[in-house]
């Protein structure tokens, strides 16, 4: 999979060289490139924002650097090139879930455009729709200063679903949200720690009983912490 990220703070994404995603990049499974939006400016100050038409607080990202960036990144020039999925992180978008991550992990080419300030000139979204499928995606109902942290989260959630990125694929299915429930509690040695015992069933060797207990724990936790996941 190819992922391009465009940001005015590319160093935010240095963390993506670490750990599993770093390995996926080294091995060629994940072709991840982070680009500075200012590379597509032409003035001395490398300007990416301007005042809003109609007035109001703050600044708006100018369309020209975004247009040039999308033109360059959407057309790889390679034969058999497909249209990219172009994602703009936005608190006004659809909410990102594990289902979104699963969907996006099947795409050949993702482009993430990180907005800052009061947002990006609306015409950029219309233009992007000529180049690929546009998605506005939010991390949840709270406000961040820009899309960078949201894109870090999305790239990690999507990247670990690409075949070969997580060494043991079984570890993917036993996690919170993969089956619509929160995950069961885990324990390791010692069997008694500071007077606290590991639930005895886990030491019983009865695999059927352990599986039943874990499922019950998942349901109980989900009922208590996230009843919204059980509606419908
Ligand atoms: Cl994707 N962007 C910003 N700026 N704030 C957010 C968000 C995204 N998701 C939740 N809050």
């Amino acid at each position: 999979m190819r992922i391009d990220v465009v940001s005015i703070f590319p160093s935010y994404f240095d963390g993506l060289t670490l750990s599993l995603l770093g390995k996926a990049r080294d091995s060629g499974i994940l072709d991840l490139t982070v680009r500075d939006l200012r590379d597509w400016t032409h003035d001395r100050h490398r300007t990416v924002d301007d005042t809003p038409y109609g007035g109001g607080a703050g600044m708006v990202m100018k369309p020209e650097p975004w247009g040039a960036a999308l033109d360059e990144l959407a057309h790889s020039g390679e034969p058999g090139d497909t249209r990219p999925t172009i994602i703009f992180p936005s608190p006004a978008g659809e909410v990102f879930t594990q289902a979104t991550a699963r969907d996006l992990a099947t795409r050949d080419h993702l482009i993430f455009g990180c907005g800052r300030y009061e947002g990006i000139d609306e015409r950029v979204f219309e233009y992007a729709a000529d180049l690929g499928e546009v998605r506005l995606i939010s991390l949840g109902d709270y406000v961040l200063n820009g899309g960078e942290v949201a894109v870090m989260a999305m790239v990690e959630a999507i990247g670990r679903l690409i075949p070969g990125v997580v060494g043991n694929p079984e570890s993917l299915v036993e996690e919170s949200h993969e089956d619509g429930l929160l995950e069961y509690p885990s324990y390791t040695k010692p069997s008694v720690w500071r007077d606290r015992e590991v639930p005895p069933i886990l030491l019983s060797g009865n695999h059927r009983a352990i599986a039943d207990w874990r499922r019950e724990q998942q349901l109980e936790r989900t009922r208590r912490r996230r009843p919204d996941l059980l509606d419908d």
Side-chain angles (χ1 to χ4, degrees), residues 89-91 137-147 150 154:
S90 164
I137 305 184
S138 167
L139 228 47
D141 294 338
Y142 45 84
V143 178
L144 306 169
N145 281 331
M154 293 184 222

Side-chain angles (χ1 to χ4, degrees), residues 195-208:
D195 296 333
R196 293 159 191 273
E197 289 178 15
V198 169
I201 190 143
L202 297 177
L203 313 177
S204 70
N206 183 341
H207 299 295
R208 180 61 199 275

Side-chain angles (χ1 to χ4, degrees), residues 145-217:
N145 281 331
E148 282 77 7
V149 167
V151 169
M152 287 283 285
M154 293 184 222
V155 168
E156 184 154 316
I158 295 163
R160 60 194 296 286
L161 298 179
I162 301 168
V165 171
V166 169
N168 177 4
E170 276 190 29
S171 66
L172 290 174
V173 298
E174 291 187 2
E175 279 157 345
S176 293
H177 303 297
E178 265 309 328
D179 58 4
L181 298 173
L182 303 186
E183 68 187 347
Y184 56 76
S186 302
Y187 301 85
T188 186
K189 291 176 274 300
S191 64
V192 182
W193 175 71
R194 300 195 181 187
D195 296 333
R196 293 159 191 273
E197 289 178 15
V198 169
I201 190 143
L202 297 177
L203 313 177
S204 70
N206 183 341
H207 299 295
R208 180 61 199 275
I210 290 171
D212 289 347
W213 180 85
R214 283 176 166 167
R215 170 63 40 162
E216 197 45 55
Q217 290 288 312

Side-chain angles (χ1 to χ4, degrees), residues 64-144:
E64 301 96 322
W66 281 113
L70 292 172
D71 283 342
E72 182 174 333
L73 298 175
H75 308 291
S76 72
E78 282 164 38
D81 204 8
T82 53
R83 281 159 61 86
T85 301
I86 305 171
I87 300 156
F88 293 100
S90 164
E94 55 172 312
V95 174
F96 186 80
T97 67
Q98 191 65 21
T100 320
R102 276 193 295 263
D103 168 19
L104 295 176
T106 68
R107 312 295 174 108
D108 292 327
H109 183 196
L110 305 178
I111 300 174
F112 288 94
C114 299
R116 283 261 152 183
Y117 313 111
E118 298 309 305
I120 303 173
D121 187 301
E122 188 69 21
R123 293 167 292 182
V124 171
F125 306 115
E126 299 164 15
Y127 180 71
D130 292 342
L131 301 175
E133 181 192 340
V134 173
R135 305 274 291 269
L136 268 64
I137 305 184
S138 167
L139 228 47
D141 294 338
Y142 45 84
V143 178
L144 306 169

